[in-house]
């Protein structure tokens, strides 16, 4: 096969980011060349998100732009991967013939085959006199979609889960010490919650848990390659549960397992009676990783479901120093009526109790480890009245998240809410409520940040701050306040360091100050000002944890100095 050039763009959540990384690794190992310039690609892939209409619109507009390009270059192969592919199915290809390949998130292991197939189909379209003229406007029509197949079988083990092979075959290449050494590891796929507004259970399929040994091994391999921070991924991580008695082994590989949660009494605090030996619970898994991967400085996880989150998990976090005190536990609303319509399965009082329990176990500012919480809220869900909304404002003030993602309700075809609950809050009202919640959260974030002034934290230094790079005229990635020292970004960070080092040894030996950025274990962003005499240390600090005392705060960032 001639080397083909692939452009892969990712939308949506961390799951998609991880999927894209795995897909890119797989394609690279097969001889494809990945490029960050869409213009030079033979294959353009979008890994898509369906969670809100807005997320899909971005992709529609990208596809629209590709139409003209494909007329010019009829050999171009276009693929839609991920949740949008799964949700829209073949209809998407009919509406957008520019798309040649569709591949749902549950079928990504088949992507290389699909691409091969699509490339061949395009070549034959071009070779055939009948179709050559219109090849640019035709789709190769290649698709692999799950069609919720994962929900059909009721057996506990997922027979021959080939998707597991994609995670297992993750290519881990040694990480440059200057890279932001952080990685995702999947523990659970899919979701069984069926919140009425949410499309994820339909696009990602049934909840499936990966065998703990696979997860621990993957963490070890990543750490051996230089990774310093791992974030475990699942839609509801605390539902992680693996029953060893029921494990199925195929071709020597333990298969992932469908979710069968232990109903642990009211609000699920009671310990799973089989925890430890016969069953690996989420608490067990965290503990195992912490103990078996001792060289991993930071372990995180997202997203926590604010129910069935036992004290056992909180105790493990409290007792394991390298597990971060950061919990992302979306409330979605502060009104019981709305929570019931959303089918969230908890009341506001239960949510408050959960947050309270988290604080009791984990909030220790006196040792530089305050608990940081974050959340998600939806405004303008079906029937949300002014009173319901006022309750959400109250919840936001009480919960004191360090940050909160706020979304306007967006009805998604296929969900229960789409079929049964009217989207009856006018757009104008949604917008107003959205802005109001943003303003409330801004106040809360400000206050939470200011509380950190005077405290000292362990900060994982991620790199030269964006501000610093801008100041020095080095290219800065748009978006995100932090620099991502990925393959492309590394050289520019190195350039800044080289320049800083040159400055440091320059006239009068005075040097210049350098600003680094990093994060606390509570996931707060910290900017560290290195004094001119410290700037030569910058390079050695990146990728490591340093003690930093905080002397100033802004809404979403802290500023400090290295502790003497
Ligand atoms: N599994 C996670 C959330 C995954 S989706 C959890 O349950 O916490 C990420 C966020 O998108 C959700 O928390 C919710 O706030 C938002 N969201 C999901 N569907 C939405 C919709 N139809 N309209 C607006 N926001 C939505
Ligand atoms: Fe969606 Fe609810 Fe599952 Fe989260 S828990 S992914 S909001 S269905
Ligand atoms: Fe979007 Fe799918 Fe993630 S819908 S939020 S990419 S699971």
């Amino acid at each position: 096969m001639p080397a083909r050039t692939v452009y892969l763009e990712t939308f949506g959540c961390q799951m998609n980011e991880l999927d894209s990384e795995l897909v890119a690794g797989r394609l690279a190992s097969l001889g494809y060349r990945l490029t960050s310039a869409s213009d030079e690609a033979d294959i353009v892939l979008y890994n898509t998100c369906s969670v809100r209409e807005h997320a899909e619109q971005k992709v529609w507009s990208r596809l629209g732009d590709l139409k003209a390009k494909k007329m010019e270059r009829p050999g171009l192969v276009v693929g839609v991967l991920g949740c949008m592919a799964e949700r829209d199915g073949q209809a998407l290809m009919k509406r957008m013939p520019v798309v040649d390949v569709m591949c749902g998130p549950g079928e990504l292991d088949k992507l290389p085959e699909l691409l091969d197939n699509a490339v061949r189909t395009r070549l034959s379209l071009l070779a055939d006199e009948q179709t050559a003229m219109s090849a640019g406007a035709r789709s190769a029509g290649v698709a692999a979609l799950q069609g919720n197949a994962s929900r059909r079988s009721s057996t506990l083990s997922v027979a021959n889960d080939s998707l597991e092979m994609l995670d297992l075959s993750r290519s881990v290449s040694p990480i440059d010490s200057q890279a932001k050494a952080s990685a995702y590891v999947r523990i659970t796929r899919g979701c069984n919650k069926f919140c009425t507004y949410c499309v994820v259970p339909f696009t990602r399929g049934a909840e499936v848990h990966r065998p703990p040994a696979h997860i621990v091994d993957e963490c070890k391999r990543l750490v051996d390659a230089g990774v310093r921070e791992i974030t475990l991924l699942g839609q509801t991580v605390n539902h992680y549960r693996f029953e060893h008695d029921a494990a199925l082994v195929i071709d020597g590989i333990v298969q992932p397992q469908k979710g069968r949660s232990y109903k642990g009494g009211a609000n699920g605090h009671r310990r799973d009676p089989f925890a430890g030996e016969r069953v690996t619970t989420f608490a067990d898994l965290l503990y195992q990783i912490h103990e078996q991967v001792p060289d991993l400085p930071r372990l995180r996880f997202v997203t926590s479901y604010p129910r069935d989150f036992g004290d056992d998990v909180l105790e493990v976090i409290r007792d394991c120093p390298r597990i971060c005190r950061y919990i992302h536990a979306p409330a979605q609303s502060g009104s019981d009526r709305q929570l019931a319509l959303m089918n969230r399965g908890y009341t506001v009082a239960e949510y408050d109790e959960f947050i309270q329990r988290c604080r009791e176990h984990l909030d220790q500012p006196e040792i530089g480890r305050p608990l940081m919480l974050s959340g998600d809220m939806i405004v303008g869900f079906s029937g949300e009245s002014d009173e319901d909304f006022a309750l959400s404002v109250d919840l936001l003030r009480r919960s004191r998240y360090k940050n909160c993602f706020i979304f306007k309700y967006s009805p998604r075809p296929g969900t229960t809410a789409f079929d049964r609950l009217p989207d009856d809050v006018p757009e104008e009202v949604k917008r107003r409520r959205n802005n109001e919640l943003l303003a409330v959260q801004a106040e809360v974030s400000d206050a939470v940040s200011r509380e950190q002034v005077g405290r000292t934290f362990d900060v994982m230094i991620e790199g030269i701050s964006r501000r610093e790079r801008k100041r020095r005229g080095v290219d800065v990635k748009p978006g995100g306040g932090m620099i991502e020292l990925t393959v492309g970004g590394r050289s520019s960070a190195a350039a800044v360091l080289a320049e800083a080092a040159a400055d440091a040894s320059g006239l009068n030996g005075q040097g210049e100050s350098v600003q680094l950025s990093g994060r606390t274990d509570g996931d707060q962003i910290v900017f560290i000002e290195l004094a001119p005499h410290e700037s030569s240390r910058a390079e050695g600090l990146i990728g490591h944890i340093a003690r930093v005392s905080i002397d100033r705060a802004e809404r979403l960032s802290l500023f400090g100095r290295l502790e003497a």
Side-chain angles (χ1 to χ4, degrees):
M1 183 195 73
R4 297 194 178 272
T5 305
V6 177
Y7 172 80
L8 170 58
E9 188 172 347
T10 308
F11 302 82
C13 66
Q14 296 107 323
M15 293 281 173
N16 265 16
E17 285 175 38
L18 174 57
D19 284 342
S20 286
E21 188 188 326
L22 297 178
V23 160
R26 185 79 192 286
L27 293 178
S29 76
L30 292 171
Y32 289 87
R33 195 175 74 81
L34 276 298
T35 175
S36 54
S38 61
D39 281 342
E40 63 175 48
D42 308 311
I43 300 175
V44 172
L45 301 175
Y46 297 127
N47 193 7
T48 61
C49 173
S50 273
V51 81
R52 283 167 294 276
E53 197 185 350
H54 182 68
E56 292 199 347
Q57 274 163 358
K58 280 193 226 161
V59 176
W60 286 119
S61 89
R62 290 281 200 292
L63 292 174
D65 294 345
L66 280 182
K67 253 194 232 163
K69 200 181 272 179
K70 201 160 169 180
M71 290 310 227
E72 283 166 28
R73 284 179 55 199
L76 187 69
V77 169
V78 176
V80 173
L81 323 179
C83 292
M84 229 175 124
E86 190 62 49
R87 195 186 75 70
D88 278 343
Q90 310 259 9
L92 189 144
M93 219 145 37
K94 290 217 181 73
R95 180 170 155 197
M96 274 285 178
V98 72
V99 178
D100 294 297
V101 178
M102 308 259 302
C103 185
E107 310 292 322
L108 289 171
D109 56 303
K110 303 191 181 75
L111 186 65
E113 247 173 86
L114 300 178
L115 289 182
D116 247 13
N117 214 326
V119 168
R120 264 185 278 121
T121 310
R122 290 225 67 80
L123 288 177
S124 64
L125 280 176
L126 288 171
D128 180 346
E129 264 179 48
Q130 302 290 313
T131 50
M133 281 299 287
S134 60
R138 284 172 186 245
S139 165
V142 177
L145 305 167
Q146 187 171 262
N148 282 318
S150 71
R151 295 216 174 273
R152 272 183 226 134
S153 121
S154 60
T155 50
L156 187 58
S157 286
V158 183
N160 220 344
D161 185 321
S162 52
L163 199 54
E164 182 62 15
M165 298 311 292
L166 187 64
D167 287 81
L168 286 177
S169 68
R170 180 172 197 167
S171 57
V172 178
S173 39
I175 285 165
D176 190 287
S177 65
Q178 287 179 18
K180 182 189 162 209
S182 151
Y184 294 123
V185 169
R186 193 184 332 263
I187 64 169
T188 300
R189 301 197 192 95
C191 182
N192 281 354
K193 296 308 300 179
F194 289 97
C195 302
T196 52
Y197 51 80
C198 184
V199 79
V200 173
F202 303 97
T203 61
R204 294 266 166 182
E207 185 182 282
V208 169
H209 305 296
R210 300 185 63 209
H214 293 185
I215 297 168
V216 172
D217 275 358
E218 194 172 325
C219 292
K220 280 186 187 157
R221 288 201 297 135
L222 288 164
V223 170
D224 286 346
V227 164
R228 313 276 296 161
E229 176 180 271
I230 287 177
T231 304
L232 305 177
L233 294 186
Q235 293 298 348
T236 56
V237 279
N238 44 309
H239 285 166
Y240 179 83
R241 190 168 188 274
F242 194 87
E243 294 185 17
H244 295 274
D245 292 351
L248 184 72
V249 183
I250 297 178
D251 294 338
I253 294 168
V254 181
Q255 298 300 304
Q257 201 170 78
K258 286 206 169 176
R260 212 163 54 170
S261 59
Y262 166 67
K263 304 275 179 275
N267 206 17
H269 304 180
R270 210 164 349 118
R271 242 172 251 268
D272 190 323
F274 303 114
E277 283 184 22
R278 288 171 55 192
V279 170
T280 298
T281 61
F282 182 55
D284 296 330
L285 181 71
L286 282 178
Y287 185 72
Q288 277 180 31
I289 299 173
H290 187 267
E291 296 305 297
Q292 292 178 33
V293 196
D295 295 330
L296 173 65
R298 280 190 173 173
L299 179 60
R300 304 181 182 283
F301 52 86
V302 285
T303 305
S304 299
Y305 197 70
R307 214 191 78 179
D308 314 319
F309 199 110
D311 285 348
D312 52 347
V313 183
L314 296 171
E315 283 157 17
V316 168
I317 303 171
R318 183 194 60 204
D319 297 341
C320 294
R322 290 173 289 107
I323 301 180
C324 295
R325 298 195 178 187
Y326 169 71
I327 295 183
H328 180 76
Q332 313 296 3
S333 170
S335 149
D336 281 336
R337 219 176 55 85
Q338 288 271 293
L339 287 176
L341 285 175
M342 291 175 170
N343 188 32
R344 287 291 284 182
Y346 53 84
T347 61
V348 174
E350 283 165 346
Y351 185 84
D352 287 345
E353 188 269 352
F354 168 60
I355 296 296
Q356 181 61 27
R357 208 150 42 85
C358 291
R359 291 209 193 279
E360 273 162 20
H361 281 82
L362 301 176
D363 191 30
Q364 288 184 286
E366 66 285 359
I367 59 163
R369 305 199 68 187
L371 171 67
M372 287 295 146
L373 296 165
S374 63
D376 296 355
M377 295 291 276
I378 297 177
V379 296
F381 185 60
S382 185
E384 188 187 61
S385 64
D386 286 340
E387 290 74 38
D388 292 322
F389 175 68
L391 291 168
S392 285
V393 173
D394 290 348
L395 182 133
L396 209 57
R397 291 198 187 279
R398 273 199 311 278
S399 301
R400 308 202 78 236
Y401 302 122
K402 99 175 156 69
N403 69 303
C404 183
F405 300 96
I406 295 157
F407 305 108
K408 290 183 285 180
Y409 170 53
S410 166
R412 307 310 294 137
T415 60
T416 308
F418 186 86
D419 293 334
R420 303 208 192 134
L421 300 168
D423 175 25
D424 53 4
V425 176
E427 180 58 29
E428 175 50 34
V429 176
K430 284 184 187 172
R431 195 176 321 130
R432 187 154 37 79
R433 289 179 183 168
N434 187 55
N435 289 339
E436 195 175 330
L437 274 198
L438 285 171
V440 170
Q441 183 55 43
E443 273 176 44
V444 174
S445 293
D446 257 340
V448 171
S449 277
R450 275 200 308 272
E451 278 164 23
Q452 314 312 321
V453 174
R455 290 178 179 164
T456 302
F457 294 93
D458 280 341
V459 174
M460 171 79 78
I461 312 285
E462 292 176 345
I464 306 285
S465 76
R466 182 167 178 243
R467 200 172 301 187
E468 183 75 22
R469 297 211 298 167
K470 224 177 193 167
R471 196 169 69 77
R472 291 171 186 266
V474 186
D475 75 303
V476 175
K477 260 194 169 180
M482 303 288 291
I483 52 160
E484 302 285 338
L485 293 180
T486 51
V487 190
R490 198 198 312 146
S491 54
S492 54
V496 175
L497 287 172
E499 197 199 315
D503 287 347
S505 58
L507 283 178
N508 313 328
Q510 286 290 315
E512 245 190 85
S513 59
V514 178
Q515 196 188 56
L516 299 176
S517 59
R519 277 170 202 262
T520 66
D521 83 318
D523 205 40
Q524 287 190 293
I525 297 167
V526 183
F527 293 103
I528 305 123
E529 204 70 55
L530 293 192
H533 71 276
E534 295 171 321
S535 61
S536 59
R537 288 179 61 196
E539 193 162 358
L541 286 168
I542 295 174
H544 295 273
I545 290 175
R547 290 294 284 176
V548 175
S549 50
I550 302 303
D551 43 34
R552 191 160 68 82
E554 281 175 11
R555 179 177 310 157
L556 292 172
S557 33
L558 309 176
F559 296 82
R561 290 162 288 110
L562 289 181
E563 203 169 55

